[in-house]
């Protein structure tokens, strides 16, 4: 295991921000992490556990140690007539896991096709797209407690999942290193094509779903048509979270904008939905943040090296050479104008580092 110094992170964050880390170390096997816990670099520095760097904004150089999860391996660990339990190591690329599962004909991960990032980050952020979230299939999360190097297995419930949220972003932030995630997938057809944009695409193109692979391919097509490829235009997917309001707030906005899109969210499979609703109280109506930003006139706007994507205003982009501070400055301007126009305070989906 090698500790690299003054490491250039440009290729390690999908925003393509040029920033450095004081130290970086790659974890290729579990023993590497246990060895790392004993090093002075580890003991004397703040740490950041990193997967694909697809959900963060580097606002300055990182004055600490970056621990890069490169643990690899995907295997079926158990099955019965209806289900299969797949264990994927934290450093696996998320989409490789999706491809593995759809090639075998399993159902459950196909709606999360082409989500960037790694398996280890999927429970932290509770990644979600097209009517599905990681929490719907995560069975267990295996992690190492950095305090005593002991292994802990979290059940789905113990992960305290919420919308783009989990215990690993809150109470246990930075306290556990995620080794592997076990997913419970279905062998029987279990399609979830209720998400409006997906349903419309299927109807318009007269497409029929025969397999989970069909869903994965179609969602990949939709994503590629809407979202910028970070290899070409730096970005971290949705920069902000969507907004949830109560009926009074919706009616207030509707008076001025009768065309406001809104969605009453329900989640088919998750046992945790009641928890989520409790958390949100009466605020269960989603108003797409992309729409709020668009109505404030930001869609497609460029300010210096940064801008708001032309096809999806939830996505901020780096046209090249942007600093994290520039991106943040644009984000703050957007937050202010949405607040002034709608009285709604946007929150970030990306993590500021
Ligand atoms: N819309 C606009 N303007 C836009 C884009 C969208 O008004 O520029 C409105 C439209 O009414 C559209 C609605 O927003 O029907 C929803 O748009 P979309 O289906 O693109 O989804 P989203 O709510 O904007 C969320 C996730 C995405 C995920 C998509 C698809 C969040 C923060 N974002 O975006 O996740 O891919 O749904 O399920 O929840 C990510 O987390 O990085 C991410 C890309």
């Amino acid at each position: 295991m090698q500790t690299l110094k003054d490491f250039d992170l440009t290729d390690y964050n999908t925003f393509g921000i040029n920033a450095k880390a004081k130290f970086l170390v790659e974890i290729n096997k579990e023993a590497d992490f246990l060895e790392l816990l004993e090093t002075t670099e580890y003991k004397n520095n703040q740490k950041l556990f990193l997967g694909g760097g697809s959900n963060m904004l580097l606002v300055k150089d990182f004055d600490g140690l970056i621990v890069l999860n490169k643990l690899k391996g995907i295997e079926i660990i158990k099955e019965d007539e209806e289900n299969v339990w797949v264990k994927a190591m934290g450093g696996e690329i998320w989409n490789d896991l999706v491809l593995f599962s759809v090639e075998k004909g399993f159902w459950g991960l196909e709606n999360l096709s082409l989500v960037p990032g790694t398996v280890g980050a999927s429970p932290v952020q509770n990644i979600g797209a097209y009517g599905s979230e990681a929490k719907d299939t995560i069975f267990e999360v295996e992690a190492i407690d950095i305090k005593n190097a002991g292994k802990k297995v979290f059940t789905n419930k113990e992960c305290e999942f919420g919308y783009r949220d989990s215990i690993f972003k809150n109470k246990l932030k930075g306290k556990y290193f995620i080794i592997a995630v076990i997913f419970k997938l279905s062998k029987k057809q279990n399609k979830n094509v209720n998400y409006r944009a997906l349903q419309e695409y299927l109807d318009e193109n007269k497409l029929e779903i025969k397999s989970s692979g069909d869903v994965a391919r179609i969602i990949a097509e939709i994503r590629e048509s809407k979202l910028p490829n970070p290899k070409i235009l730096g970005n971290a997917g949705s920069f902000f979270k969507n907004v949830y309001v109560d009926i009074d707030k919706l009616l207030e906005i509707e008076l001025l904008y009768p065309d406001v899109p809104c969605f009453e969210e329900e989640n088919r499979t998750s046992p945790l939905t009641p928890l989520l609703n409790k958390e949100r109280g009466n605020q269960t109506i989603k108003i797409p943040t992309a729409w709020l930003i668009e109505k404030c006139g930001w869609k497609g706007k460029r300010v210096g090296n940064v801008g708001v994507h032309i096809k999806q205003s939830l996505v901020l982009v780096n046209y090249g050479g942007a600093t994290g501070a520039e991106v943040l400055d644009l984000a703050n301007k957007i937050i202010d104008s949405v607040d002034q126009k709608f009285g709604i305070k946007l929150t970030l989906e990306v993590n500021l580092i």
Side-chain angles (χ1 to χ4, degrees):
M1 197 183 48
Q2 201 189 353
T3 306
L4 304 163
K5 288 190 184 132
D6 277 329
F7 193 84
D8 179 359
L9 294 170
T10 314
D11 294 336
Y12 289 75
N13 72 104
T14 60
F15 243 123
I17 302 289
N18 176 260
K20 281 193 174 138
K22 193 164 143 201
F23 299 111
L24 179 137
V25 65
E26 276 188 11
I27 302 300
N28 291 297
K29 48 189 192 310
E30 228 174 285
D32 286 348
F33 188 74
L34 299 177
E35 194 186 314
L36 176 72
L37 290 176
E38 301 303 323
T39 63
T40 47
E41 282 90 356
Y42 187 87
K43 286 179 182 159
N44 298 339
N45 286 284
Q46 56 166 328
K47 270 82 57 184
L48 174 68
F49 299 148
L50 191 62
S54 56
N55 199 49
M56 66 174 195
L57 177 66
L58 290 158
V59 280
K60 52 181 185 314
D61 286 343
F62 184 69
D63 185 26
L65 170 71
I66 295 211
V67 183
L68 202 57
N69 190 334
K70 295 282 232 182
L71 299 172
K72 298 281 182 194
I74 302 178
E75 58 173 334
I76 295 169
I77 54 168
K78 183 176 140 183
E79 57 188 306
D80 62 20
E81 241 169 65
E82 286 194 11
N83 296 106
V84 56
W85 285 257
V86 175
K87 176 173 174 174
M89 301 306 286
E92 284 287 343
I93 301 296
W94 174 264
N95 201 52
D96 290 347
L97 171 65
V98 174
L99 294 175
F100 171 95
S101 80
V102 300
E103 270 161 22
K104 298 229 165 347
F106 304 148
W107 293 81
L109 300 179
E110 60 282 359
N111 289 41
L112 300 177
S113 158
L114 230 57
V115 169
T118 56
V119 166
S122 65
V124 180
Q125 189 65 11
N126 182 21
I127 58 171
Y130 296 95
S132 173
E133 288 178 297
K135 73 173 164 61
D136 303 335
T137 47
I138 288 178
F139 183 68
E140 282 171 349
V141 175
E142 274 183 31
I144 294 182
D145 183 343
I146 64 165
K147 240 186 11 243
N148 56 16
K151 209 177 235 183
K152 156 115 178 117
V153 177
F154 293 84
T155 62
N156 177 300
K157 209 165 181 188
E158 283 172 331
C159 294
E160 296 181 10
F161 289 122
Y163 169 53
R164 297 294 194 276
D165 205 16
S166 74
I167 196 165
F168 306 109
K169 278 181 85 174
N170 296 295
K171 262 189 282 189
L172 299 186
K173 190 172 176 180
K175 296 202 161 76
Y176 281 86
F177 182 71
I178 294 176
I179 298 289
V181 184
I182 293 142
F183 298 86
K184 184 181 174 187
L185 306 178
S186 175
K187 287 182 176 175
K188 303 215 164 121
Q189 203 202 77
N190 189 17
K191 72 178 172 191
N192 171 13
V193 292
N194 299 329
Y195 191 83
R196 197 183 294 177
L198 174 59
Q199 191 60 64
E200 281 169 8
Y201 191 85
L202 294 175
D203 292 346
E204 270 164 32
N205 296 287
K206 301 197 172 47
L207 295 168
E208 210 191 313
I209 301 291
K210 295 208 180 82
S211 66
S212 56
D214 289 345
V215 179
R217 264 188 305 279
I218 291 163
I219 286 179
E221 254 171 56
I222 303 177
R223 289 184 73 97
E224 279 170 341
S225 72
K226 279 194 192 170
L227 295 168
N229 179 345
K231 289 195 178 111
I232 298 165
L233 201 57
N235 74 87
S238 302
F239 196 89
F240 304 97
K241 287 188 183 178
N242 272 314
V243 163
Y244 288 84
V245 298
D246 60 18
I247 187 74
D248 294 338
K249 186 71 190 177
L250 177 67
L251 294 173
E252 181 192 314
I253 296 175
E254 246 175 3
L255 277 180
L256 294 171
Y257 300 96
D259 63 331
V260 54
C262 59
F263 306 84
E264 184 77 60
E265 292 252 304
E266 51 112 22
N267 193 319
R268 278 175 350 125
T269 50
S270 172
L272 288 167
T273 305
L275 182 83
L276 210 66
N277 286 342
K278 205 168 111 206
E279 218 175 75
R280 286 186 187 150
N282 293 328
Q283 303 191 308
T284 55
I285 303 160
K286 166 177 155 182
I287 297 186
T289 297
W291 181 87
L292 297 169
I293 296 173
E294 196 175 324
K295 283 290 158 195
C296 290
W298 286 105
K299 192 169 184 169
K301 271 234 172 109
R302 178 172 177 167
V303 185
N305 293 326
V306 297
V308 178
H309 188 52
I310 186 76
K311 292 189 190 147
Q312 179 30 300
S313 40
L314 210 47
V315 179
L316 303 189
V317 296
N318 172 7
Y319 283 103
T323 62
E326 264 179 289
V327 180
L328 195 57
D329 193 44
L330 172 64
N332 283 328
K333 288 194 173 107
I334 294 170
I335 291 172
D336 284 349
S337 54
V338 170
D339 191 16
Q340 273 168 27
K341 201 177 186 84
F342 296 103
I344 290 175
K345 290 201 172 26
L346 298 184
T347 53
L348 303 190
E349 183 188 321
V350 296
N351 299 302
L352 301 182
I353 306 296

